[in-house]
Amino acid sequence: MTFVPVIPESYSHVLAEFESLDPLLSALRLDSSRLKCTSIAVSRKWLALGSSGGGLNLIQKEGWKHRLFLSHREGAISQVACCLHDDDYVAVATSQGLVVVWELNQERRGKPERIYVSSEHKGRKVTALCWDTAVLRVFVGDHVGKVSAIKLNTSKQAKASAAFVMFPVQTITTVDSCVVQLDYLDGRLLISSLTRSFLCDTEREKFWKIGNKERDGEYGACFFPARCSGSQQPLIFCARPGSRMWEVNFDGEVISTHQFKKLLSLPPLPVITPRSEPQYDHTIGCSQSLSFPKLLHLSEHCVLTWTEKGIYIFIPQNVQVLLWSEVKDIQDMAVCKNELFCLHLNGKVSHLSLLSVERCVERLLRRSQWDLAARTCCLFQNSIIASKARKTLTVDKLEHLKSQLDLETCSDLISQLDELILKFEPLDSACSSRRSSISSHESFSILDSGIYRIISSRRGSQSDEDSCSLHSQTFSEDERLKEFTLHQEEDQPDQSCGSQENEDNVSHVPVTFETDKNETFLPFGIPLSFRSPSPLMSLQAVKESVSSFVRKTTEKIGTLHASPELKMRSDTRDDDQSCEEEMSLVTCPQEEDIEGGKEITGEPPEGDMFQELTVATAEAMTKMLDPLVLFEPKSLRMVLLEWLSQLEKTFAMKNFAGISDTGNSPMKMNQDVLLLNESKKGILDEDNEKEKRDSLDNKETVDQTACESVISLRKPLDDLFQVCSPCTIANSLQKDLAELTTLCLELNILNSAIKSTGEHVDHTLQQCSSEILACQFLKKYFFLLDLKRAKESIKLSYTNNPCVWDTFIEGLKEMASSTSIYMEMEEGDLPARLKLLDDSVPFDSPLLIAYATRLYEKFGESALRSLIRFYPYILPSDIMQLCHQNPAQFLAYLDSLVKSRPEDQRSYFLESLLQPESLRLDWLLLAVSHDAPPSTSIMDDEGYPRPHSHLFSWGYSQLILQLIKLPADFTTKEKMTDICRTCGFWPGYLTLCLELERRREAFTNIVYLDDMSLMEGDNGWIPETVEEWKLLLHLVQKKSSSPVPQESLNGNLNDGPSPINTENVALLLAKAMGPDPAWSLLQECGLALELSEKFTRTCDILRIAEKRQRALIQSMLEKCDRFLWSQQP
């Protein structure tokens, strides 16, 4: 038997065909030359196959049972579409251009019936069908570019509503060429023609052209849901010539162009199928310039397309080709989750599944397809070795697979499997046998998403991996979510598989929800739900099991401290495997020069020093796995403080330059350790009042120690940053150091160190020391921090300490100064520098804010307005810190950012920025305090508005009104009302009074503003009750009784809006209530004598108009009555 080639690249997924649909097609007689399959569609329940004879076969996917056959005399079936949100409906287009919509009546067990037949496209070729995602509506496109919509009534509603539905078919639009593809999502219809793509808002009847450049040919387009794109709104991907795609936002604006031409030069991956042996050609071909006829959203983060050559699956947001495989002569495709159904030109249908490599092998093993499983393992052994799901393909399973192969015919396969198994475990492992069961102890942590993360560490092994790698390699939240969603998409029998990371033998298993299938992987034997209603309840359930794990781990860590032989063996193993372990080594020339000029004496061996730090780090990470520590702040702080003391000791012994000006002195090291010890003591005694009273005897000593500590912390602020790793640190240790260091900063552990030295320390001193200590911490351990998390922590914890933010930015600048981009950004105007930043710096880079700071320092407010292009990578909270000395410039940025969005989306976008909610009041106060009219011009001495002062222009009036109109609780609205009244922003004040039902205040201020337009028009404030009219008339009467000369905006009494006086209010009253009730109310208030002839004439006109209106209504009713009687038989 031939030797199976090994695919060099580590591919993660593969297309597999586990079963053939040929027997099904044969049973349906769709495999003959006379009758063949012409169209295909799929939903959660059905596989729909249209035939050339006009029949539609509906096959139930569960068990592949043929359930229904729907016949059509209107011609062959050209298009089929299943309703995705209701499996009881299916739409069919025939070769004559008719569209038939069926209701299957499966729930009522009735016969299928046609609920609508559309002849809107009769005589034309229907090229696309698409269902609405929420209501029963079908969109139809044809070869001349016409797009229509069919709104349906179900059989239950048809009799009741048929008389009212006059036009169920609506023409949406007509584009310039043949419709290639239709897609629908969240009220928007996506139309792809031969020349361009269009976006249609079906509710508001708005249309957008996507992009400016046209194309010529069949190119598809599809929506990418928001839950998959990671953004607040869905995305759109449009195919372009030359293997390209446009990434488009939900408003039809092109964001970027993705090029896949060069990425497609790799050889195709084989399709795993029992029909043939998988083959792989290592020859790298030339780049492929393809046109993608359709784009289909597949499996969360993927987009699928095909050509006459093969199937292509992309991860477009990362500009990656997940895989491409040669599958010839595809006419059409339908997808559902991770399932692909291909309709070929000869009428055949194939069923493929997109699976990870290890899950594909697992399914082959369950089907007893031993030979194919072995070949797949050998072919993709790089993927299996590097897989995160090592519990799916264990050594035992591979051994079992090898035992099922024939020794004579499969000798090559067996030898390759032997090599693969040897790569699973190191040769010098002290395990008794690869076939023996490996005991393990496990714990878990609960992620924010609700997923349980299982952490497993082997016991009983003498290898270095087991002795020194007790901690887990932490996955990012995105990786865990991606891994979990991929497991959810695949079919139910595969959900018991987990994932295991190769490095350090640490497994991270996303727990699924079938208890019987997870007992193999969960030694606790406790059924775990996906999301517990309360984390404390879950912790109580597993308390006893986790406690046993912590006890065993503590014993093992104790052996690490006590056994010198183990240290020697670990050091020896480190030397032997130095070529295999990936190291992170960064050399700083600045530090090398400094260290080169000093003679370091008495330095302990580097191996021993880092051995202690490694053990301390592993111990801290292990303790944090205990929920009783993780969810108890006091215990967690103690663990971090204990670890921090070892970190301080290690790097103080190392004598690194640039960390501290007193770093060479043992006295400094002892002070640091003393300070941390005092901190731990303060935390332990926090709730013990008795011990606090006993410690008062040492008050003077503690005061002196605290003051000396603060003074010593002030000194190193001028030191250089430690932005580069001063020595060689293994990647595994580097990750854990970064996790713990960042956690210290997030939890303000160093702040608690200062406070715990004594509660009697002056508050100003504590605040100052906290600020200085944070700056020193950043400078000393900048190279260890997770910069993105550190930035967010500083914004939350040190909002009132701008020097901490400035220190962090200086560190980023220091890190960026060694790059060529930093030097190039020093030259050119603002547009040139922004273009350089766009082209050269990844938007998700932590250094982006450093470059933005440089632009702000150089160009000021104009640079801030330009930074809106980097949202959401640079947030408003970053800009607030950036220009904390000039808040008005932040307003300019915020105003530009909000205005950059479409007008109908600005309110929703602004609301998304208000995190936390307290920012609403801060931003409102900031907006009404800057670029505002003088307070003497808008308010009098008593705080009432001056006439017409609501017409003054405010620099940020649009932003203020948008903040006011956002939904908020009653208390917040009241505070906003007080802010608007205090600052004199009367339009916002009146709007808030309307929302809070403070109508009396509103009418009082309207009378002072003296503008009748405020009570006229659709948005005017018109009294609703007789009491409100009386109040308004009383206020006007009171105002007229004490007249004061009041000028308008331009100083002319005759100019400006119509004033509020008795006559104008009386006219408004007559129009609202009628002339006679208005006259009675005016007499009751004693104002009838103050009215002029104008009011009398107006009342007479209103009476005549009312009389004529009544006569007209009477005439119309009589005509309708005569018409209805004439229709009687």
Side-chain angles (χ1 to χ4, degrees), residues 467-468 470 555-563 566-567 611 615:
S467 61
C468 296
L470 300 177
E555 294 173 358
K556 187 162 189 175
I557 292 174
T559 61
L560 287 177
H561 285 287
S563 175
L566 185 59
K567 288 187 180 181
Q611 182 66 24
V615 172

Side-chain angles (χ1 to χ4, degrees), residues 620-639:
M621 295 294 290
T622 305
K623 287 182 179 179
M624 287 169 56
L625 297 179
D626 185 1
L628 301 179
V629 174
L630 189 61
F631 294 100
E632 178 60 41
K634 186 186 300 183
S635 302
L636 181 60
R637 296 167 77 90
M638 281 303 307
V639 170

Side-chain angles (χ1 to χ4, degrees), residues 836-904:
L836 178 63
L837 201 57
D838 276 335
D839 298 338
S840 306
V841 180
F843 282 4
D844 59 349
S845 170
L847 300 180
L848 182 63
I849 189 66
Y851 294 115
T853 305
R854 292 290 299 151
L855 292 178
Y856 171 65
E857 293 171 351
K858 179 69 176 178
F859 298 100
E861 183 178 322
S862 58
L864 285 184
R865 293 182 181 272
S866 303
L867 293 180
I868 61 175
R869 69 178 66 187
F870 299 111
Y871 179 86
Y873 302 99
I874 295 181
L875 296 171
S877 55
D878 299 328
I879 303 299
M880 287 180 67
Q881 295 290 335
L882 195 63
C883 53
H884 56 82
Q885 295 181 350
N886 196 341
Q889 294 182 347
F890 167 72
L891 277 177
Y893 165 83
L894 182 62
D895 189 55
S896 300
L897 180 63
V898 174
K899 289 180 179 178
S900 67
R901 296 299 187 270
E903 189 171 356
D904 58 340

Side-chain angles (χ1 to χ4, degrees), residues 40-42 47 296 306 332-336 339-343:
I40 189 170
V42 67
L47 172 62
L296 301 177
W306 70 90
D332 197 5
M333 289 188 68
V335 299
C336 181
E339 293 182 297
L340 290 70
F341 294 88
C342 308
L343 174 62

Side-chain angles (χ1 to χ4, degrees), residues 480-540:
R480 288 191 290 264
L481 289 177
K482 184 187 298 182
E483 181 182 354
F484 177 76
T485 53
L486 184 59
H487 285 233
Q488 267 193 324
E489 284 181 354
E490 298 174 8
D491 52 297
Q492 192 71 16
D494 292 334
Q495 288 186 353
S496 62
C497 302
S499 63
Q500 180 177 5
E501 185 169 0
N502 187 32
E503 185 179 3
D504 293 337
N505 291 329
V506 179
S507 65
H508 302 266
V509 183
V511 178
T512 50
F513 323 124
E514 298 185 45
T515 306
D516 57 338
K517 295 182 182 180
N518 285 286
E519 289 176 352
T520 306
F521 306 114
L522 292 178
F524 296 142
I526 299 174
L528 302 175
S529 61
F530 174 60
R531 180 179 288 276
S532 171
S534 170
L536 293 178
M537 293 173 62
S538 300
L539 294 178
Q540 187 68 27

Side-chain angles (χ1 to χ4, degrees), residues 632-897:
E632 178 60 41
K634 186 186 300 183
S635 302
L636 181 60
R637 296 167 77 90
M638 281 303 307
V639 170
L640 291 175
L641 281 169
E642 185 177 353
W643 170 83
L644 189 58
S645 64
Q646 181 61 46
L647 182 71
E648 292 276 1
K649 178 182 177 182
T650 300
F651 285 97
M653 290 171 62
K654 191 65 182 165
N655 237 349
F656 296 128
I659 295 180
S660 172
D661 57 350
T662 60
N664 299 335
S665 172
M667 183 75 67
K668 170 64 180 175
M669 180 188 71
N670 295 335
Q671 287 179 357
D672 290 338
V673 175
L674 177 62
L675 182 60
L676 290 170
N677 290 334
E678 290 291 336
S679 305
K680 290 185 284 185
K681 181 179 178 181
I683 292 175
L684 288 173
D685 298 344
E686 186 176 359
D687 297 329
N688 194 329
E689 295 295 334
K690 182 178 179 180
E691 292 185 9
K692 284 185 179 179
R693 287 193 299 268
D694 294 340
S695 65
L696 289 178
D697 296 336
N698 299 325
K699 179 176 180 180
E700 296 179 0
T701 305
V702 173
D703 284 343
Q704 185 177 359
T705 304
C707 294
E708 291 176 355
S709 300
V710 172
I711 294 173
S712 65
L713 290 174
R714 293 177 181 273
K715 295 181 180 180
L717 286 179
D718 297 329
D719 293 345
L720 298 176
F721 275 91
Q722 192 70 41
V723 297
C724 304
S725 179
C727 59
T728 302
I729 304 177
N731 272 356
S732 57
L733 178 60
Q734 178 80 24
K735 291 178 183 178
D736 288 342
L737 290 177
E739 174 71 23
L740 294 173
T741 308
T742 308
L743 196 57
C744 285
L745 183 65
E746 290 173 338
L747 298 179
N748 296 325
I749 297 299
L750 298 179
N751 288 353
S752 65
I754 291 294
K755 293 178 182 178
S756 64
T757 56
E759 291 186 355
H760 50 278
V761 180
D762 183 74
H763 176 72
T764 306
L765 183 61
Q766 288 185 359
Q767 185 176 7
C768 182
S769 63
S770 170
E771 182 178 337
I772 295 173
L773 188 59
C775 294
Q776 184 200 28
F777 187 83
L778 288 173
K779 291 190 175 187
K780 290 176 66 176
Y781 304 117
F782 199 86
F783 68 99
L784 291 177
L785 291 172
D786 182 332
L787 297 180
K788 292 183 180 180
R789 286 173 53 189
K791 184 181 74 170
E792 298 303 319
S793 174
I794 291 171
K795 288 191 296 185
L796 290 174
S797 303
Y798 299 97
T799 306
N800 300 323
N801 303 116
C803 72
V804 181
W805 171 267
D806 293 340
T807 303
F808 178 72
I809 294 298
E810 289 300 320
L812 293 177
K813 289 181 182 178
E814 183 73 20
M815 181 180 291
S817 61
S818 60
T819 64
S820 58
I821 303 172
Y822 192 82
M823 302 305 297
E824 295 177 14
M825 293 251 332
E826 297 297 320
E827 301 177 357
D829 55 2
L830 180 60
R833 299 189 189 190
L834 287 171
K835 186 177 184 304
L836 178 63
L837 201 57
D838 276 335
D839 298 338
S840 306
V841 180
F843 282 4
D844 59 349
S845 170
L847 300 180
L848 182 63
I849 189 66
Y851 294 115
T853 305
R854 292 290 299 151
L855 292 178
Y856 171 65
E857 293 171 351
K858 179 69 176 178
F859 298 100
E861 183 178 322
S862 58
L864 285 184
R865 293 182 181 272
S866 303
L867 293 180
I868 61 175
R869 69 178 66 187
F870 299 111
Y871 179 86
Y873 302 99
I874 295 181
L875 296 171
S877 55
D878 299 328
I879 303 299
M880 287 180 67
Q881 295 290 335
L882 195 63
C883 53
H884 56 82
Q885 295 181 350
N886 196 341
Q889 294 182 347
F890 167 72
L891 277 177
Y893 165 83
L894 182 62
D895 189 55
S896 300
L897 180 63

